[in-house]
Amino acid sequence: MTQPHGTLICFNNKDIDSVTAANIAAIWTNTVPQTMYRLIPYKEVVDVDFDGYDVIFIGKVCERASLVQLVGKASSIVYIGNNTKSINLCKDINQLCPGKPLITIHSNTFECLSSLVWKLFYPDIKLMPYVVEYLVQHIVGVGSLPNKLAVITALRSTTRRVSLFKEILAYNLEEIDRMAELGNTILAEHARLAENIALEATVQNFLGYEVIVAAAPEILVPAVTHRLRKNKPFTVVYTDADGHRTFRLCGELPDKGLLALGSKLGEARGNDRHVSVRVPMPTII
């Protein structure tokens, strides 16, 4: 790819894989002489003027219509995705921006974004940083690296400064040990908080069902849900943020009805046992 004069790196700042991938791209960009870069969280993408910039999109950062409009102004485009929607967006950009300098990288096997970005910008360095290896095993769900959950937990808590990611991405096992120690401390505190929240959960009528309901910060939802999941027929854990309430339903209803039940609130995502619905507040059930 050509060396850019100015690069905009667009990513999902709520996904640690996307954050790590964006920082890998930023570190690479920073090695190009007389080049500036800017990290742009996906919520800010539609407000940015891309005219004359080289743009790197990591994952699905905005809807199709907005993306096609934005990339029409860019000098060149790199689009990196790892799911079906991302692959379809790549096809749209190819068709609607003919002649535009374009690189699209995607994987049908849900390979993590960090490893895709690493292979693109550092093709001659076959050994990926330890943190990227941890992300690969975490996302794919296989592998036996030690303290995997603790390392990923520490990575999620890391300040999003590129200077810190330079240290994290180094080939340094002592850094991994430090992250594991930090992660285990965070996990222990999460367990304590989740236990307290679970103890305060109440029985409520939710769309016609008497179920256990609890409110929890997003980061504690899995731990709280785990503690409540034995309650029948399902449990509800919700989070309020950014003017919306997100409901997570966990359990089982006859005839795979949990997803259909969640759809009564709004656009439901998930399967017959785990459903997520995000709706504007105030929401009264």
Side-chain angles (χ1 to χ4, degrees):
M1 66 183 286
T2 58
Q3 293 184 348
H5 299 295
T7 302
L8 305 179
I9 303 169
C10 308
F11 67 107
N12 180 356
N13 65 332
K14 291 189 175 182
D15 173 45
I16 192 56
D17 182 29
S18 184
V19 170
T20 304
N23 277 278
I24 292 171
I27 292 168
W28 176 86
T29 303
N30 209 29
T31 65
V32 181
Q34 298 179 332
T35 299
M36 58 80 66
Y37 69 87
R38 179 180 168 193
L39 291 168
I40 304 175
Y42 74 104
K43 286 189 176 181
E44 301 174 14
V45 166
V46 295
D47 299 321
V48 174
D49 184 4
F50 288 177
D51 191 17
Y53 284 95
D54 294 301
V55 182
I56 301 172
F57 289 99
I58 298 174
K60 185 178 181 294
V61 294
C62 63
E63 296 304 319
R64 174 189 179 279
S66 299
L67 181 62
V68 170
Q69 181 180 2
L70 293 171
V71 298
K73 298 181 178 181
S75 293
S76 68
I77 306 159
V78 174
Y79 193 100
I80 301 154
N82 63 346
N83 57 43
T84 302
K85 288 184 178 180
S86 296
I87 294 170
N88 290 336
L89 284 174
C90 287
K91 295 177 181 177
D92 288 341
I93 296 171
N94 274 305
Q95 293 172 357
L96 297 173
C97 301
K100 183 79 65 175
L102 171 68
I103 297 175
T104 59
I105 306 293
H106 55 75
S107 170
N108 291 317
T109 58
F110 299 98
E111 183 175 353
C112 84
L113 293 166
S114 300
S115 63
L116 289 173
V117 172
W118 182 266
K119 292 173 184 177
L120 172 64
F121 290 109
Y122 300 98
D124 297 328
I125 305 179
K126 303 304 181 184
L127 179 63
M128 292 187 290
Y130 298 127
V131 162
V132 177
E133 294 286 1
Y134 270 88
L135 279 167
V136 169
Q137 292 197 9
H138 173 70
I139 290 169
V140 176
V142 297
S144 57
L145 287 172
N147 297 306
K148 184 164 55 178
L149 180 57
V151 171
I152 296 299
T153 299
L155 188 60
R156 286 197 176 106
S157 73
T158 301
T159 305
R160 309 309 197 211
R161 292 203 310 269
V162 173
S163 58
L164 286 179
F165 267 86
K166 285 184 177 179
E167 296 178 10
I168 290 173
L169 289 168
Y171 298 88
N172 187 344
L173 285 175
E174 291 182 359
E175 178 66 19
I176 294 298
D177 290 341
R178 185 197 66 78
M179 293 177 67
E181 183 178 356
L182 172 61
N184 282 321
T185 300
I186 295 171
L187 287 170
E189 179 63 10
H190 285 182
R192 184 186 69 80
L193 294 172
E195 188 65 32
N196 290 340
I197 291 172
L199 290 173
E200 295 176 0
T202 59
V203 177
Q204 299 182 30
N205 186 290
F206 183 87
L207 298 177
Y209 292 86
E210 293 295 317
V211 297
I212 296 290
V213 178
E218 183 175 357
I219 196 169
L220 294 180
V221 168
V224 173
T225 300
H226 177 74
R227 284 162 173 76
L228 299 177
R229 66 181 180 179
K230 293 182 180 179
N231 292 279
K232 302 294 184 181
F234 59 90
T235 60
V236 178
V237 180
Y238 67 87
T239 301
D240 294 338
D242 300 326
H244 288 76
R245 174 166 290 183
T246 301
F247 294 93
R248 278 90 169 186
L249 285 59
C250 178
E252 194 169 1
L253 288 176
D255 301 320
K256 300 183 179 180
L258 196 62
L259 188 60
L261 183 69
S263 299
K264 293 181 179 180
L265 294 175
E267 183 181 355
R269 299 181 179 182
N271 52 46
D272 57 324
R273 296 193 178 190
H274 299 275
V275 177
S276 175
V277 188
R278 186 171 185 261
V279 297
M281 291 179 64
T283 298
I284 300 175
I285 304 302

